[in-house]
Amino acid sequence: NYKALQVIVLAVFFCRLMACVAQCVGLTEILNAKMISEGNRKAAIILAGSILEAVLIDWLSEIKGINYFEKEYHGENNKIKNAVLKDYIDAIGVLKVPEWMEKEKANVIRSRRNLVHAKLCVKANDVNEATCKQVIDYLIEILKTRGYRG
């Protein structure tokens, strides 16, 4: 189906773009200055989680020599379900231990990103400026392990 192929190509492009954005632009300035305003905190947390996921997919692809932007990753012990952010965090944690000390920070970002789901009935004060700043600070620390200098 041509439409499905277009969606896949756009998804792959988006993930690669997110990984590049995280490496190239002044991420700190964009997220801290423009995204933490009252109406954009949820968006900043979601964006940080998406950037983290794209960077981890790219990193896992590099380690394993398989392009997981194009080939679905199912986690280390699962042949059925498609990987989620936790699977990528766990895989990098196993493959890069002990030098990747930011696994816990990645898990904090993942858990904070989950706060914004509507079905969790999150109170507005749970996604606040402090939570948003923590997520962004942790993301930047993780990106530094991949060479980000921002």
Side-chain angles (χ1 to χ4, degrees), residues 108-135:
V108 168
I109 293 171
R110 179 184 59 79
S111 70
R112 299 297 186 257
R113 183 175 78 165
N114 289 341
L115 283 177
V116 301
H117 293 298
K119 67 182 177 182
L120 295 178
C121 300
V122 176
K123 293 177 253 162
N125 60 352
D126 288 344
V127 180
N128 55 39
E129 185 173 346
T131 300
C132 197
K133 282 187 160 296
Q134 178 191 40
V135 165

Side-chain angles (χ1 to χ4, degrees), residues 36-61:
I36 298 183
S37 67
E38 183 67 38
N40 295 320
R41 291 181 185 142
K42 287 182 180 181
I45 290 171
I46 292 169
L47 180 60
S50 296
I51 291 170
L52 173 64
E53 190 166 0
V55 168
L56 294 180
I57 291 170
D58 183 62
W59 196 0
L60 188 62
S61 296

Side-chain angles (χ1 to χ4, degrees), residues 5 16 25 40 42 54 57 61 75-76 78-79 95 116 118 124 126:
L5 182 61
R16 286 185 176 164
V25 301
N40 295 320
K42 287 182 180 181
I57 291 170
S61 296
E76 293 302 305
N78 191 330
K79 303 288 186 218
L95 295 168
V116 301
D126 288 344

